[in-house]
Amino acid sequence: MEAARLPSTAGKFVVVGGGIAGVTCAEQLAIHFPSEDILLITASPVIKAVTNFKQVSRVLEEFDVEEQPNTMLENRFPNIKVIESGVKQLKSEEHEFQKQLTKAKRIMIIGNGGIALELVYEIEGCEVIWVIKDKAIGNTFFDAGAAEFLTSKLIAEKPEGKIAHRRTRYTTEGRKKEARTKGDAANVGSALGPDWHEGLNLKGTKEFSHKIHIETMCEVKKIYLQEEFRISKKKSLTFPRDHNNQSVSTDKEIWPVYVELTNEKIYGCDFIVSATGVTPNIEPFLCGNNFDLGEDGGLKVNNHMHTSLPDIYAAGDICTASWEPSPVWQQMRLWTQARQMGWYAAKCMAAATLGDSIDMDFSFELFAHVTKFFNYKVVLLGKYNAQGLGSDHELMLRCTKGQEYVKVVMQNGRMMGAVLIGETDLEETFENLILNQMNLSAYGEDLLDPDIDIEDYFD
């Protein structure tokens, strides 16, 4: 259905976008105003629905995201009218990606965010060349230590043995202040969206499980189709034989597409997956409107999700939070924040309509995100990568290879952030310690001592 052919429809509230933020906002408005028509305009016959929602702690929440026909939304909320505009056809039943993958011998994944991390781990039986512009994987979520912890899982041929706990404190210059190891020092070795891929058969043609080569600190320079590459007379490389031996022999196989990287290497592959992040889709709203825009290209919103124009609110990927944030919160374009922003935007719209006042939602007090990467539970809290803290902070680490990785960001004796990988059971305790800003100087490294039950300690 084309937008121009839509019948003229009016409603007190119009929500544009069938993603998590838009759907959550529409649902909340439908609850607040049961006698009003809530219009949801979406360019797709499917909407993103939050399912299996679970409040893990005061701030942390887990949920799945499912694509559902927009009729499901109208069935649940009779006063929501979904208007499908701008879409010609979506063959949602044909699972295009899975079909392509079943025939693939080699693919290239470009990007270093959550989708790329999940894809790289879930795809089996297919050579994967992973191109990232950073030094280490998962740069959005992890420091180099956590990246190394996860990479070892990615390239492991067999389950890894348990290694003694190592607890280390670092300053921001990377200078080691102190390191204590429990157990025999000779045994010490080297020191993450909802499951969108669940139920997908991400298997290629080869018999092996994981075969991944990572090209770091580079980007795509040029893409050649088969005939273009033949005419160019350039040479492509074979898949490197193993993680340590970087093979540079010429590839004799003919591929449908070739990718030249900025490090001058060229690889052929069956297809390319671009997983390079989110760009706020503001273009449809700019013509004739004078919105204030953020540096990242989003529509600026204040602490009530209100844009610079009267009666226009924004939430999710399209918006840029321009209020003075809590010291331990930052905006990231994730499904968790889309749900929180959509829910809060609806509350603010309802309050403005009814003439009520409303306080900032508690979810914006602390950045909190839980996900799963490489089959590890991953919890990110507060300034987990010391975002904006400058050099005035230090890190405390605890790592058991193949089992858990715990990193805490400390500033002036107070916990400012944490990364928890594995089943650590520390998320609720650390969430409380970050929120209450208790001075933990007296505890020193005992804070991460695996022999101390820290949950009981701070109850």
Side-chain angles (χ1 to χ4, degrees), residues 58-270:
R58 193 178 179 191
V59 179
L60 272 172
E61 54 192 44
E62 277 185 305
F63 57 85
D64 296 326
V65 173
E66 288 181 8
E67 284 195 331
Q68 296 181 352
N70 51 42
T71 50
M72 294 275 285
L73 187 63
E74 291 179 320
N75 291 341
R76 288 203 309 272
F77 299 91
N79 59 326
I80 291 182
K81 310 299 178 194
V82 179
I83 299 171
E84 187 187 320
S85 173
V87 144
K88 300 276 187 188
Q89 185 181 23
L90 177 68
K91 298 180 180 176
S92 59
E93 297 302 311
E94 292 196 9
H95 301 295
E96 298 288 343
F97 179 55
Q98 291 176 72
K99 278 191 173 179
Q100 292 289 328
L101 194 56
T102 56
K103 298 178 285 187
K105 290 181 286 187
R106 182 191 298 169
I107 71 168
M108 181 176 285
I109 296 175
I110 300 158
N112 203 11
I115 298 296
L117 283 162
E118 290 171 347
L119 259 182
V120 164
Y121 184 73
E122 292 298 327
I123 288 174
E124 296 182 350
C126 180
E127 292 176 348
V128 176
I129 297 171
W130 188 8
V131 179
I132 62 175
K133 63 182 179 182
D134 312 296
K135 286 183 181 177
I137 67 168
N139 194 56
T140 311
F141 303 103
F142 307 122
D143 60 10
E148 185 182 342
F149 173 86
L150 288 170
T151 304
S152 65
K153 174 77 172 274
L154 195 62
I155 62 174
E157 296 295 325
K158 55 181 186 237
E160 294 159 324
K162 202 169 179 180
I163 291 181
H165 287 285
R166 179 185 177 95
R167 289 185 290 116
T168 316
R169 181 178 291 186
Y170 295 92
T171 62
T172 49
E173 289 79 20
R175 177 173 52 86
K176 198 188 320 184
K177 282 177 78 174
E178 185 182 357
R180 296 211 317 260
T181 305
K182 287 192 173 287
D184 184 0
N187 290 333
V188 177
S190 60
L192 344 92
D195 298 326
W196 58 271
H197 50 74
E198 284 296 312
L200 296 185
N201 178 22
L202 301 184
K203 212 160 175 57
T205 61
K206 298 289 183 74
E207 291 302 312
F208 52 78
S209 178
H210 288 121
K211 196 165 187 183
I212 295 154
H213 171 66
I214 306 173
E215 288 286 348
T216 61
M217 299 185 72
C218 65
E219 298 179 61
V220 174
K221 183 178 178 183
K222 191 169 182 181
I223 295 174
Y224 301 87
L225 295 178
Q226 193 178 94
E227 183 61 15
E228 291 175 319
F229 186 72
R230 188 186 66 77
I231 294 169
S232 76
K233 297 283 195 286
K234 295 194 174 186
K235 304 291 185 187
S236 65
L237 302 177
T238 56
F239 191 88
R241 295 178 192 280
D242 59 55
H243 190 62
N244 299 313
N245 177 24
Q246 306 293 314
S247 168
V248 290
S249 58
T250 302
D251 196 355
K252 299 290 192 290
E253 186 145 1
I254 307 297
W255 298 95
V257 65
Y258 292 82
V259 181
E260 184 176 3
L261 304 176
T262 50
N263 62 9
E264 306 305 322
K265 294 182 182 179
I266 300 177
Y267 290 101
C269 56
D270 286 300

Side-chain angles (χ1 to χ4, degrees), residues 293-452:
L293 302 181
E295 288 182 11
D296 59 8
L299 304 178
K300 273 190 176 182
V301 292
N302 65 12
N303 61 356
H304 285 79
M305 308 309 293
H306 202 290
T307 68
S308 58
L309 299 185
D311 299 326
I312 309 294
Y313 295 76
D317 293 343
I318 199 171
C319 80
T320 300
S322 58
W323 64 83
E324 186 63 37
S326 149
V328 287
W329 185 87
Q330 63 273 335
Q331 182 181 6
M332 286 184 75
R333 288 179 168 86
L334 301 164
W335 276 333
T336 43
Q337 282 196 359
R339 197 204 71 80
Q340 290 163 351
M341 285 180 169
W343 184 90
Y344 179 55
K347 292 281 186 187
C348 293
M349 292 161 78
T353 301
L354 300 170
D356 298 335
S357 61
I358 186 171
D359 292 328
M360 188 96 194
D361 188 72
F362 187 79
S363 59
F364 299 104
E365 282 296 306
L366 172 68
F367 175 86
H369 184 60
V370 60
T371 186
K372 189 170 266 195
F373 290 132
F374 300 3
N375 216 29
Y376 287 110
K377 180 181 179 181
V378 175
V379 176
L380 308 172
L381 294 171
K383 301 293 184 179
Y384 63 90
N385 254 352
Q387 296 96 323
L389 298 184
S391 59
D392 180 27
H393 72 275
E394 59 183 30
L395 309 177
M396 295 171 66
L397 301 178
R398 180 173 101 198
C399 178
T400 306
K401 191 176 179 184
Q403 184 179 335
E404 66 169 16
Y405 178 94
V406 178
K407 179 186 81 170
V408 171
V409 180
M410 303 293 293
Q411 186 178 55
N412 301 324
R414 289 164 173 81
M415 192 181 294
M416 298 299 290
V419 174
L420 309 172
I421 305 177
E423 296 296 333
T424 66
D425 291 326
L426 293 171
E427 52 265 37
E428 197 159 2
T429 303
F430 282 10
E431 176 187 293
N432 290 330
L433 290 175
I434 296 170
L435 282 168
N436 66 30
Q437 288 293 285
M438 177 182 176
N439 192 327
L440 304 169
S441 303
Y443 301 99
E445 284 200 332
D446 287 344
L447 199 61
L448 294 189
D449 191 326
D451 295 333
I452 294 176

